[in-house]
Amino acid sequence: MNTERDSETTFEEDSQPNDEVVPYSDDETEDELEDQGPAVEPEQNRVNREAEENREPFKKDCTWQVKANDRSFHEQPHFMNTKFFCIKESKYATNAIKTYKYNVFTFLPMNLFEQFKRAANFYFLVLLILQAIPQITTLAWYTTLVPLLVVLGITAIKDLVDDVARHKMDNEINNRTCEVIKDGRFKIAKWKEIQVGDVIRLKKNDFIPADILLLSSSEPNSLCYVETAELDGETNLKFKMALEITHQHLQKENSLATFDGFIECEEPNNRLDKFTGTLFWRNTSFPLDADKILLRGCVIRNTDFCHGLVIFAGADTKIMKNSGKTRFKRTKIDYLMNYMVYTIFVVLILLSAGLAIGHAYWEAQVGNYSWYLYDGEDTTPSYRGFLNFWGYIIVLNTLVPISLYVSVEVIRLGQSYFINWDLQMYYPEKDTPAKARTTTLNEQLGQIHYIFSDKTGTLTQNIMTFKKCCINGQIYGDHRDASQNSHSKIEPVDFSWNTYSDGKLVFYDHYLVEQIQSGKEPEVRQFFFLLAVCHTVMVDRLDGQLNYQAASPDEGALVSAARNFGFVFLTRTQNTITISELGTERTYSVLAILDFNSDRKRMSIIVRTLEGNIRLYCKGADTVIYERLHRMNPTKQETQDALDLSGKSTKVGICSVPDADFLGNDLATSSQHPGETLRTLCLCYKEIEEKEFEEWNKKFMAASIASTNRDEALDKVYEEIEKDLILLGATAIEDKLQDGVPETISKLAKADIKIWVLTGDKKETAENIGFACELLTEDTTICYGEDISALLHTRMGNQRNRSGVYAKFVPQVHEPFFPSGGNRALIITGSWLNEILLEKKTKRSKILKLKFPRTEEERRMRTQSKRRLEAKKEQQQQNFVDLACECSAVICCRVTPKQKAMVVDLVKRYKKAITLAIGDGANDVNMIKTAHIGVGISGQEGMQAVMSSDYSFAQFRYLQRLLLVHGRWSYIRMCKFLRYFFYKNFSFTLVHFWYSFFNGYSAQTAYEDWFITLYNVIYTSLPVLLMGLLDQDVSDKLSLRFPELYMVGQRDLLFNYRRFFVSLLHGVLTSLVLFFIPLGAYLQTVGQDGEAPSDYQSFAVTIASALVITVNFQIGLDTSYWTFVNAFSIFGSIAIYFGIMFDLHSAGIHVLFPSAFQFTGTASNALRQPYIWLTIILTVAVCLLPVVATRFLSMTIWPSESDKIQKHRKRLKAEEQWKRRQNVFRRGVSARRSAYAFSHQRGYADLISSGRSIRKKRYPLDAVIADGTAEYRRTVES
């Protein structure tokens, strides 16, 4: 056991998981995790470490070198890499991006090479070569060449269209322009012309063309605001800041042109948040980090212009390094279809081998003794049999359908266009249609078992609105007039009295406005004053209007609410903040900003009032605010009781309510809006004595300049002042559900699709959304991480006990984790997920291991230890998946993007189920790429999720139509198409097999060569394609009304090996009838003119005519949805067959090509005989009547759900309106709420305190920096 724990620690040894924190960053290394805490180094470790350092000196990985304004520097020989033989190119990529695959010269060879990598295409190429050997083939070469060229041509055209679109997109991006220094001046240049080392100028709202080092900008201290939505999905602005040295000296054009800085930095990589480098300039080195780098894909905002030095260009940029290779996704039917084609290959080889043996036997018994069959070749029967084996491979090659793959691609392409054209999935508010971004996964949409959904922006709108507030025990936000009388219908508050109102807030409580304007309740004004002053929001004026930039949408919503109620945040400096209070501007001194972080869960600001008093204002999550309230707080206990009313995990209500009856009234109001989910925040304040502040400020300043552990020191100082607080009230903001989310989830659940929500939000927030969208109901039993951890621990113990010597003799029985019945849901945090799945970062051994060889015994023990740990981990993961899948809903909160993808992968791996992931942000990309199908929501968080997805649309509610209508139809159509395709090819090809018994197994064909050539290309192609595109068993409205119809796809009922062999058997029987009925009719036949039409050519025409009519009528029997196009294609195909046949059998074409057209006059001669027509009609009838009878009995005795709905479709035509599930009344429960969600990163407090954001002066483009201004800035920063 000690060996097993030598180098790793298991989850049992670690502390209890924390539900409130995201477990760790996805890109943390083990070394980074180890370094988080100080450790005492044992003496032996020190000795070992020194030995290691002496043996392998450490080398810093900063090998990327950039010289400003010197392109020749990057073309030196030691920067050149060999690309191909003696061809060399620079390791520095150009800025041109290339996503296309072909050019004019490479298209044909590369496309043909890619197509011949497909087994079927390569197989037919080999057949074509075999057909060029006269000793083998009995079939003309064009019978294979024409279909092969059609297939290759259609696929090539499709690839060409796709690549032309990529060319256009690349050209559009590469030909964007910006200003680059050339010959000492800024000149307009295209993006593709930019190179590493160039100095460029960007202006407001410009896209950044490469990864650049920020040198200077128009803002104070060369700040630059960027929007990173295209990069990470976040819409709030980030700020970057140049080095002080470049800010001071690189403002003018001539100084930028002579800039000769030298940079050493890390090699190009995909770490978006990390950068390490050094700038060498003016005999000094300056450290560089990610805060000084502008990344390609971002947009310049709120900054008139900025200058930068190109570090990474084109393919070396971080966004391109992150793009990676998209995983190639294939559908379940694809894999099944390939296995069936392999099965057909085996059947083909077995048939050919059997017939070749038959020919060898026939030659030995008959051929060698029949002088009239002598062909001049003195070969042995076995050799003739060998040649005939290859001959039959050629004759029976149509068993392997060459046009199958291209037909499938055409059908999928058409179905993709139907999705794109669906107006019911079009979102007019943003002019966003649904889009199928791939054409290869449509039928898989009809087989989904599990949906993994993000929360914010996917289920919710990600638009925060101020909904309610509680001030001094009084709740505001209901429908009330100015006299405090409630009304069911009332006009929203008119904020026109406030000139700063943005007109976006919809609020119905007129009594709150009355309270603010009257000033009767001073706490009300103080409440909104706190919202206006206690934040880190940045403000900008755009066209005379205030424009707020917040670190989180929640904080922006609160500041905007205060603005609408008359307390307007106008501007701020390093140590002041200006507020308009009901039209009166007042400026307050800001003494300190105590910024938010994920551990503190609160932020505070200390200001000096106009009266000279010092006051601390604080806002934060209730869990941390209550701990710091003054023990004599008048409303503390009432607030605690109201918030804790529903128990330990799901707190409801929004604030303190002293009157229990009033809380009941609030419930009555809130229960009318069951989708209401409120995110709450508690507000409080504290008066501070001057002496107390001075003592605290000394500690604060000392912590602010600490060189080590600065954040921890500040947090400790913050704790000293944030105590004995007075509760002022609470706010409640709402992130509304998108329209139709509960309805969509309800219908998908009826279709037996399980929905898992994976989110980075807090547990309470995620749980409340679960109730709002009806994933969770009042009668749901909720299990948490600690609950299932115990269950899994017990299960693992039982499994270990059963894994003894006799384990292999005892059959494994699946034991459920929960008793049957009941509605259960699982809510688990990322920390518990890592704990349960043994995915915690392993800690390295405290003893450094030298690189000396171990003994064989040690190696063996270590290998066994690793295997045991892996086996344990795998068993634990499988148990977790089994347990989670027994729950009706699963919500994983506080999970990282990597964990989202891990959960999806676990279900894929252990349940073998088809998965779909849907999200709207960059943090969902990994999950979207991991699932079988990825869906992107084009919402508030950029386009990265959409760009990585297979399908995209604007609203979650469109998912029900994508799956229940388009997905189900696509699955049914594809299954029908494949079954029919295999059937018609077996019916066609196996006639050769039966004919072989009557021609000495000589590989003679039963049809004319041109019929074989055109059968799959013209005679039977259009009807089956149209069925694959247009057929539908029930309408879209009925598909949505009866989600249970979706289950056939989940259970693979319409296309599987059983269905395949039924189609194969059907084809065998049809071919049997097609051959033997005409054969019997031709044995003793005399025509009306006394001539016997029983020649080979007339026999071939009879079989071919019966075959074409039979297979086209068969598809009519398979068609559920008849249109004029379907009918025209079926009867038109038959007409085209007869028209082409009469042309090919005419004397005129025989005169032109006598060797290629040898059935001259056969059709006209044979088909003028009524006896032949009667034979054809009899053959068709015998083939089809049993099918008609079987279908009738099946629909009458064993009707499917689809059959029943089709039978009563007229009565069911009016779609039933969906009704929301009725909520169970629970006394004392108000609107669900969760703790306020701050940004997961620090706010802008450091920036504000430093004075760097203050717009004292914008530097003109070519202005010289005045000494006085520079001195002022240095004074401010000091």
Side-chain angles (χ1 to χ4, degrees), residues 1138-1163:
F1138 283 108
I1140 292 177
M1141 181 177 65
F1142 278 105
D1143 285 339
L1144 296 181
H1145 292 187
S1146 65
I1149 198 168
H1150 174 73
V1151 172
L1152 295 174
F1153 308 100
S1155 61
F1157 300 93
Q1158 300 177 354
F1159 275 50
T1160 308
T1162 301

Short mmCIF file of all heavy atoms in Angstrom, two decimals, residues 1138-1163:
data_model
loop_
_atom_site.label_atom_id
_atom_site.label_comp_id
_atom_site.label_asym_id
_atom_site.label_seq_id
_atom_site.Cartn_x
_atom_site.Cartn_y
_atom_site.Cartn_z
N PHE A 1138 -37.43 3.62 -70.89
CA PHE A 1138 -37.89 3.13 -72.20
C PHE A 1138 -37.40 4.04 -73.32
O PHE A 1138 -37.02 3.57 -74.39
CB PHE A 1138 -39.41 3.01 -72.22
CG PHE A 1138 -39.92 1.80 -71.48
CD1 PHE A 1138 -40.56 1.92 -70.25
CD2 PHE A 1138 -39.76 0.52 -72.01
CE1 PHE A 1138 -41.02 0.81 -69.57
CE2 PHE A 1138 -40.23 -0.60 -71.34
CZ PHE A 1138 -40.86 -0.46 -70.11
N GLY A 1139 -37.40 5.35 -73.09
CA GLY A 1139 -36.93 6.27 -74.12
C GLY A 1139 -35.47 6.04 -74.47
O GLY A 1139 -35.10 5.96 -75.66
N ILE A 1140 -34.61 5.95 -73.46
CA ILE A 1140 -33.18 5.74 -73.71
C ILE A 1140 -32.95 4.37 -74.33
O ILE A 1140 -32.11 4.21 -75.23
CB ILE A 1140 -32.39 5.89 -72.39
CG1 ILE A 1140 -32.42 7.35 -71.92
CG2 ILE A 1140 -30.95 5.43 -72.56
CD1 ILE A 1140 -31.72 7.59 -70.60
N MET A 1141 -33.69 3.34 -73.86
CA MET A 1141 -33.48 2.00 -74.39
C MET A 1141 -33.80 1.94 -75.88
O MET A 1141 -33.04 1.37 -76.67
CB MET A 1141 -34.36 1.00 -73.63
CG MET A 1141 -34.18 -0.44 -74.10
SD MET A 1141 -35.15 -1.62 -73.15
CE MET A 1141 -36.81 -1.12 -73.55
N PHE A 1142 -34.91 2.56 -76.30
CA PHE A 1142 -35.25 2.56 -77.73
C PHE A 1142 -34.20 3.32 -78.54
O PHE A 1142 -33.88 2.94 -79.67
CB PHE A 1142 -36.64 3.15 -77.95
CG PHE A 1142 -37.74 2.17 -77.71
CD1 PHE A 1142 -38.52 2.22 -76.56
CD2 PHE A 1142 -38.02 1.16 -78.64
CE1 PHE A 1142 -39.54 1.31 -76.33
CE2 PHE A 1142 -39.05 0.25 -78.42
CZ PHE A 1142 -39.80 0.31 -77.25
N ASP A 1143 -33.65 4.38 -77.97
CA ASP A 1143 -32.59 5.11 -78.67
C ASP A 1143 -31.32 4.27 -78.81
O ASP A 1143 -30.69 4.24 -79.87
CB ASP A 1143 -32.25 6.41 -77.92
CG ASP A 1143 -33.33 7.46 -78.11
OD1 ASP A 1143 -34.10 7.35 -79.09
OD2 ASP A 1143 -33.42 8.38 -77.27
N LEU A 1144 -30.93 3.59 -77.70
CA LEU A 1144 -29.69 2.80 -77.73
C LEU A 1144 -29.83 1.56 -78.62
O LEU A 1144 -28.81 1.02 -79.07
CB LEU A 1144 -29.31 2.37 -76.30
CG LEU A 1144 -28.95 3.48 -75.31
CD1 LEU A 1144 -28.58 2.90 -73.97
CD2 LEU A 1144 -27.80 4.33 -75.85
N HIS A 1145 -31.07 1.13 -78.84
CA HIS A 1145 -31.29 -0.06 -79.68
C HIS A 1145 -31.64 0.31 -81.12
O HIS A 1145 -32.03 -0.56 -81.89
CB HIS A 1145 -32.41 -0.92 -79.08
CG HIS A 1145 -32.04 -1.55 -77.78
ND1 HIS A 1145 -32.84 -2.47 -77.13
CD2 HIS A 1145 -30.94 -1.42 -76.99
CE1 HIS A 1145 -32.26 -2.84 -75.99
NE2 HIS A 1145 -31.11 -2.20 -75.90
N SER A 1146 -31.50 1.60 -81.44
CA SER A 1146 -31.85 2.03 -82.80
C SER A 1146 -30.71 1.72 -83.77
O SER A 1146 -29.55 1.56 -83.38
CB SER A 1146 -32.13 3.55 -82.80
OG SER A 1146 -30.95 4.26 -82.47
N ALA A 1147 -31.07 1.67 -85.04
CA ALA A 1147 -30.08 1.35 -86.08
C ALA A 1147 -29.11 2.50 -86.28
O ALA A 1147 -27.93 2.29 -86.59
CB ALA A 1147 -30.80 1.03 -87.40
N GLY A 1148 -29.58 3.73 -86.10
CA GLY A 1148 -28.72 4.89 -86.34
C GLY A 1148 -27.50 4.92 -85.46
O GLY A 1148 -26.38 5.15 -85.93
N ILE A 1149 -27.68 4.68 -84.16
CA ILE A 1149 -26.53 4.73 -83.24
C ILE A 1149 -25.62 3.53 -83.45
O ILE A 1149 -24.41 3.60 -83.23
CB ILE A 1149 -27.03 4.85 -81.79
CG1 ILE A 1149 -25.89 5.35 -80.89
CG2 ILE A 1149 -27.55 3.50 -81.28
CD1 ILE A 1149 -26.36 5.78 -79.51
N HIS A 1150 -26.20 2.41 -83.92
CA HIS A 1150 -25.38 1.24 -84.22
C HIS A 1150 -24.46 1.50 -85.40
O HIS A 1150 -23.30 1.05 -85.41
CB HIS A 1150 -26.28 0.03 -84.51
CG HIS A 1150 -25.51 -1.18 -84.97
ND1 HIS A 1150 -24.74 -1.93 -84.10
CD2 HIS A 1150 -25.39 -1.76 -86.20
CE1 HIS A 1150 -24.17 -2.93 -84.77
NE2 HIS A 1150 -24.56 -2.84 -86.06
N VAL A 1151 -24.96 2.24 -86.38
CA VAL A 1151 -24.13 2.59 -87.54
C VAL A 1151 -22.94 3.45 -87.11
O VAL A 1151 -21.81 3.30 -87.59
CB VAL A 1151 -24.98 3.31 -88.60
CG1 VAL A 1151 -24.10 3.85 -89.72
CG2 VAL A 1151 -26.03 2.36 -89.17
N LEU A 1152 -23.18 4.38 -86.17
CA LEU A 1152 -22.11 5.28 -85.73
C LEU A 1152 -21.09 4.55 -84.84
O LEU A 1152 -19.89 4.77 -84.96
CB LEU A 1152 -22.71 6.46 -84.95
CG LEU A 1152 -23.60 7.42 -85.74
CD1 LEU A 1152 -24.24 8.45 -84.83
CD2 LEU A 1152 -22.79 8.10 -86.84
N PHE A 1153 -21.58 3.69 -83.92
CA PHE A 1153 -20.69 2.98 -82.99
C PHE A 1153 -21.06 1.50 -82.98
O PHE A 1153 -21.72 1.02 -82.05
CB PHE A 1153 -20.82 3.56 -81.57
CG PHE A 1153 -20.65 5.05 -81.49
CD1 PHE A 1153 -21.75 5.89 -81.42
CD2 PHE A 1153 -19.37 5.61 -81.52
CE1 PHE A 1153 -21.58 7.25 -81.35
CE2 PHE A 1153 -19.21 6.98 -81.45
CZ PHE A 1153 -20.32 7.82 -81.38
N PRO A 1154 -20.67 0.77 -84.01
CA PRO A 1154 -21.12 -0.63 -84.13
C PRO A 1154 -20.62 -1.54 -83.01
O PRO A 1154 -21.32 -2.48 -82.62
CB PRO A 1154 -20.56 -1.07 -85.49
CG PRO A 1154 -19.44 -0.11 -85.77
CD PRO A 1154 -19.82 1.18 -85.14
N SER A 1155 -19.43 -1.28 -82.47
CA SER A 1155 -18.90 -2.18 -81.44
C SER A 1155 -19.50 -1.91 -80.07
O SER A 1155 -19.51 -2.78 -79.20
CB SER A 1155 -17.37 -2.05 -81.36
OG SER A 1155 -17.02 -0.72 -81.02
N ALA A 1156 -19.98 -0.68 -79.82
CA ALA A 1156 -20.49 -0.32 -78.50
C ALA A 1156 -21.98 -0.56 -78.35
O ALA A 1156 -22.46 -0.72 -77.23
CB ALA A 1156 -20.18 1.15 -78.21
N PHE A 1157 -22.72 -0.59 -79.45
CA PHE A 1157 -24.18 -0.76 -79.38
C PHE A 1157 -24.58 -1.95 -80.26
O PHE A 1157 -24.71 -1.82 -81.48
CB PHE A 1157 -24.88 0.52 -79.84
CG PHE A 1157 -24.54 1.72 -79.00
CD1 PHE A 1157 -23.51 2.57 -79.36
CD2 PHE A 1157 -25.23 1.98 -77.83
CE1 PHE A 1157 -23.18 3.66 -78.60
CE2 PHE A 1157 -24.92 3.08 -77.06
CZ PHE A 1157 -23.88 3.92 -77.43
N GLN A 1158 -24.76 -3.10 -79.62
CA GLN A 1158 -24.97 -4.34 -80.36
C GLN A 1158 -26.39 -4.89 -80.23
O GLN A 1158 -26.70 -5.92 -80.83
CB GLN A 1158 -23.97 -5.40 -79.87
CG GLN A 1158 -22.51 -4.98 -80.08
CD GLN A 1158 -21.53 -5.99 -79.51
OE1 GLN A 1158 -21.94 -6.95 -78.86
NE2 GLN A 1158 -20.25 -5.78 -79.78
N PHE A 1159 -27.27 -4.22 -79.46
CA PHE A 1159 -28.64 -4.71 -79.30
C PHE A 1159 -29.55 -4.03 -80.33
O PHE A 1159 -30.64 -3.61 -80.02
CB PHE A 1159 -29.13 -4.40 -77.89
CG PHE A 1159 -28.75 -5.42 -76.86
CD1 PHE A 1159 -27.45 -5.87 -76.75
CD2 PHE A 1159 -29.71 -5.97 -76.01
CE1 PHE A 1159 -27.10 -6.81 -75.81
CE2 PHE A 1159 -29.36 -6.91 -75.06
CZ PHE A 1159 -28.05 -7.34 -74.95
N THR A 1160 -29.11 -3.96 -81.55
CA THR A 1160 -29.86 -3.22 -82.56
C THR A 1160 -31.23 -3.86 -82.80
O THR A 1160 -31.32 -5.05 -83.12
CB THR A 1160 -29.07 -3.20 -83.89
OG1 THR A 1160 -27.74 -2.75 -83.63
CG2 THR A 1160 -29.76 -2.30 -84.90
N GLY A 1161 -32.27 -3.06 -82.62
CA GLY A 1161 -33.64 -3.50 -82.89
C GLY A 1161 -34.23 -4.41 -81.85
O GLY A 1161 -35.38 -4.85 -82.01
N THR A 1162 -33.52 -4.72 -80.80
CA THR A 1162 -34.01 -5.69 -79.81
C THR A 1162 -35.27 -5.18 -79.10
O THR A 1162 -36.27 -5.90 -78.97
CB THR A 1162 -32.92 -6.00 -78.78
OG1 THR A 1162 -31.78 -6.51 -79.44
CG2 THR A 1162 -33.41 -7.02 -77.77
N ALA A 1163 -35.24 -3.94 -78.63
CA ALA A 1163 -36.36 -3.41 -77.86
C ALA A 1163 -37.63 -3.37 -78.71
O ALA A 1163 -38.70 -3.82 -78.26
CB ALA A 1163 -36.03 -2.02 -77.34
#
